[in-house]
C-alpha cells in the first residue's frame, strides 16, 4: 500500500544557530526513548514469565506486539501531524511511550500487553515524524543528523539493556525494572512541551512528486523488504538474545550486559555505515559485508565458548547498527526528491516493521515447540539469506521512477 508522507514537506523559516542546536538535542533526546521498551523486557523475560505464569508463546506475544505496532501505527502518524502539527504529534507520541511503559509496571499480563501496544504506537509515531523534522530543519545536515539519530536509538537500547536488571534487583521487583523507563520518556515530553505549545509557523507546502503510487514500484518494495528483514533480525536480538545467552549459562546481569554491549556496537555501526554506504557506486557490497558480520556474531553467540561471547556480541552489533543506517540511507538515495523520500520512508517503515514483528514471534513459537533454542539459528540463517538478497536488490544505484 502507498503510505502517506511522514509529515507535510515544508519550507521552514531558518532558525538561529542556537535554536537549531536546541532542536537537534531535543530530537536526539526523544530518539533515546524510542528503543528502551524492547531490551528492558528481554533482559527480564524469564522473571516476567515466572511472575505471571506466561507460556513461551504468550511471552513471544509480549515481545511481538510492540514491534507490530511500529508498522501498523506508522500509517497514522502523518494524518495526526497534519491535524495537530508535527511538534504536537511528537509530544503525543512521547506521552504514549511514557504511559505505556509505566503501565507495564502493574505486573499483570493484560497491562504488559496493553502497555506494549500503547508505547509501541508512540514509538511508531516518533519513528516516522522525527526524520521529517530532520529533513525540514536540517536540510544541510541530513547525513550527520541521520547518523546521530540512529546512534541515539541504539544508545537508548544499550542503556536499557545494561541497567534494567540492576534496577529491578535494587527495587526488588521486575515490574519496577520495566516501569522505570517511563521516567526518561516523561522528562523528554516535559522538555519538548514548550516547543509543542508554540503556534505552528506559516509554511509553504511542496506538492508531492510523481503521480504513480509507490506500491506499483518494485524498487520501493525491495527497499521496504530490506528495511523489514534487517529489522526482523534486530528485534529478534532485542527480544531474545538475553534469554538465549541465559539458556547457554550466563546469569541475568551478564546476559543483559552482553545485550548492552551488542547495542553499543550498533552505535558504532550507525556512525560508520553511512560513509561506507556512499564509498562505492551503490550499497550492495556494504549490505552484504554487514550481513556477514551479523552472521559471524550470531554464530558466535550460539556456538562459541561463553568466554568469547563479548566478541560475538560486538560483531553482531556492528553489523546490525550498520544495516539500520544503510537502510535509512538507501531510502534517501533511491528517492528522486524529498517528497518521494518522505513517502518511501512511510512505506518502508510501515511494511518493514509489520514484517519485522514476525521475527520475535517465530523465535517464541520455536522455543515453545521444542523447549529450547536449538532450531533458532536456522531461522536466523534464513532471515540473513533473504536480507542479503533484498540488499542486493535495494542497493542498486537506481532511482524510483513515478512518472
Amino acid at each position: 500500500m502507498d503510505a502517506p508522507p511522514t509529515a507535510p514537506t515544508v519550507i521552514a523559516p531558518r532558525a538561529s544557530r542556537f535554536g537549531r542546536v536546541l532542536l537537534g538535542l531535543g530530537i536526539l533526546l526523544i530518539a533515546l526513548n524510542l528503543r528502551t521498551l524492547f531490551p528492558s523486557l528481554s533482559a527480564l523475560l524469564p522473571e516476567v514469565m515466572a511472575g505471571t505464569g506466561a507460556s513461551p508463546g504468550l511471552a513471544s506475544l509480549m515481545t511481538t506486539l510492540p514491534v507490530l505496532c511500529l508498522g501498523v501505527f506508522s500509517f497514522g502518524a502523518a494524518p495526526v501531524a497534519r491535524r495537530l502539527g508535527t511538534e504536537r504529534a511528537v509530544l503525543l507520541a512521547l506521552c504514549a511511550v511514557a504511559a505505556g511503559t509505566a503501565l507495564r509496571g502493574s505486573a499483570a499480563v493484560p497491562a504488559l500487553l496493553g502497555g506494549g501496544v500503547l508505547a509501541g504506537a508512540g514509538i511508531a509515531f516518533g519513528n516516522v515524524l522525527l526524520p521529517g523534522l530532520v529533513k525540514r530543519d536540517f536540510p544541510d545536515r541530513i547525513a550527520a543528523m541521520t547518523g546521530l539519530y540512529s546512534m541515539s536509538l541504539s544508545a537508548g537500547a544499550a542503556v536499557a539493556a545494561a541497567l534494567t536488571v540492576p534496577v529491578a534487583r535494587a527495587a526488588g521487583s521486575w515490574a519496577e525494572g520495566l516501569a522505570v523507563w517511563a521516567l526518561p520518556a516523561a522528562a523528554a515530553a516535559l522538555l519538548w512541551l514548550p516547543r509543542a505549545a508554540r503556534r505552528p509557523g506559516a509554511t509553504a507546502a511542496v506538492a508531492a512528486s510523481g503521480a504513480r503510487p509507490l506500491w506499483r514500484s518494485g524498487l520501493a518494495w525491495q527497499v521496504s523488504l530490506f528495511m523489514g528483514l534487517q529489522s526482523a533480525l534486530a528485534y529478534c536480538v532485542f527480544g531474545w538474545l538475553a534469554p538465549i545467552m541465559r539458556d547457554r549459562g550466563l546469569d541475568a546481569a551478564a546476559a543483559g550486559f552482553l545485550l548492552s554491549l551488542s547495542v553499543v556496537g550498533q552505535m558504532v555501526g550507525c556512525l560508520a555505515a553511512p560513509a561506507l554506504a556512499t564509498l562505492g557506486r551503490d550499497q550492495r557490497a556494504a549490505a552484504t559485508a554487514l550481513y556477514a558480520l551479523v552472521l559471524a556474531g550470531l554464530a558466535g553467540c550460539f556456538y562459541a565458548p561463553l568466554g568469547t561471547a563479548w566478541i560475538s556480541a560486538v560483531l553482531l552489533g556492528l553489523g546490525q547498527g550498520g544495516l539500520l543506517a544503510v537502510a535509512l540511507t538507501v531510502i534517501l538515495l533511491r528517492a528522486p526528491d524529498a517528497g518521494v523520500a518522505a513517502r518511501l520512508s512511510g512505506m518502508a517503515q510501515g511494511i518493514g516493521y509489520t514484517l519485522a514483528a514476525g521475527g520475535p514471534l517465530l523465535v517464541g513459537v520455536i522455543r515453545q515447540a521444542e523447549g529450547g533454542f536449538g532450531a533458532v539459528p536456522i531461522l536466523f540463517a534464513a532471515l540473513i539469506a533473504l536480507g542479503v538478497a533484498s540488499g542486493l536488490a535495494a542497493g542498486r544505484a537506481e532511482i524510483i521512477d513515478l512518472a
Side-chain angles (χ1 to χ4, degrees):
M1 59 191 301
D2 185 26
T6 57
T9 304
V10 296
I11 300 170
R14 174 69 67 177
S16 68
R17 181 181 297 272
F18 182 67
R20 294 181 80 201
V21 169
L22 287 181
L23 174 59
L25 291 175
I27 290 173
L28 299 183
L29 178 60
I30 294 168
L32 285 171
N33 289 279
L34 297 185
R35 292 296 181 272
T36 58
L37 187 78
F38 307 103
S40 58
L41 179 61
S42 172
L44 292 171
L45 195 56
E47 287 79 7
V48 173
M49 293 173 66
T52 61
S55 66
L58 184 55
S60 180
L61 184 62
M62 292 179 191
T63 64
T64 299
L65 267 181
V67 184
L68 182 61
C69 290
L70 299 190
V72 172
F73 286 97
S74 66
F75 296 108
V80 172
R82 285 194 294 268
R83 183 174 184 84
L84 300 180
T86 301
E87 283 81 0
R88 293 173 185 175
V90 168
L91 178 63
L92 179 65
L94 282 169
C95 291
V97 172
T101 304
L103 186 59
R104 299 200 304 179
S106 67
V109 169
L112 286 165
L113 295 173
V117 169
L118 181 58
I123 293 168
F125 273 41
N127 283 343
V128 173
L129 298 175
L130 290 186
L133 287 177
V134 171
K135 291 175 185 177
R136 188 192 71 187
D137 294 310
F138 299 91
D140 55 338
R141 294 289 186 272
I142 287 179
M145 283 299 297
T146 299
L148 291 171
Y149 168 75
S150 302
M151 186 191 70
S152 296
L153 293 174
S154 298
V159 171
L163 297 184
T164 295
V165 170
V167 168
R169 287 178 174 174
S173 167
W174 60 262
E176 292 185 30
L178 294 179
V180 71
W181 300 107
L183 297 177
L190 287 174
L191 292 173
W192 190 257
L193 183 60
R195 185 171 187 87
R198 299 174 187 170
R199 291 180 59 87
T203 56
V206 177
S209 298
R212 190 159 69 100
L214 273 178
W215 62 265
R216 294 185 182 180
S217 167
L219 183 54
W221 279 98
Q222 291 159 2
V223 171
S224 298
L225 289 174
F226 183 45
M227 170 65 80
L229 289 164
Q230 65 85 23
S231 296
L233 271 173
Y235 286 101
C236 285
V237 170
F238 280 144
W240 289 103
L241 181 61
I244 287 169
M245 299 310 296
R246 291 178 69 172
D247 190 66
R248 286 202 64 197
L250 291 182
D251 64 25
F257 175 76
L258 193 73
L259 177 59
S260 176
L261 191 62
S262 177
V263 181
V264 170
Q266 289 186 29
M267 295 167 57
V268 177
C270 285
L271 286 177
L276 174 65
T278 54
L279 277 178
R281 182 172 177 270
D282 57 39
Q283 291 72 53
R284 291 178 294 180
T288 303
L290 290 166
Y291 266 116
L293 282 178
V294 170
L295 178 61
L298 285 172
C301 287
F302 275 97
Y303 303 117
L306 287 178
T308 65
W310 67 273
I311 300 175
S312 302
V314 170
L315 290 177
L316 177 60
L318 288 172
Q320 290 196 301
L323 283 171
L324 172 61
V326 169
L328 294 173
T329 303
V330 162
I331 290 173
L332 297 176
L333 295 179
R334 298 293 87 86
D337 55 49
V340 175
R343 294 166 59 198
L344 182 59
S345 176
M347 176 178 174
Q349 294 195 60
I351 294 173
Y353 284 124
T354 302
L355 175 64
L361 179 63
L362 286 174
V363 175
V365 169
I366 291 171
R367 185 193 180 196
Q368 185 166 19
E370 68 166 21
F373 296 103
V376 171
I378 299 174
L379 170 64
F380 287 170
L383 289 174
I384 289 171
L386 292 172
V388 170
S390 69
L392 292 174
R396 293 171 296 157
E398 296 184 7
I399 299 296
I400 292 175
D401 183 9
L402 297 180

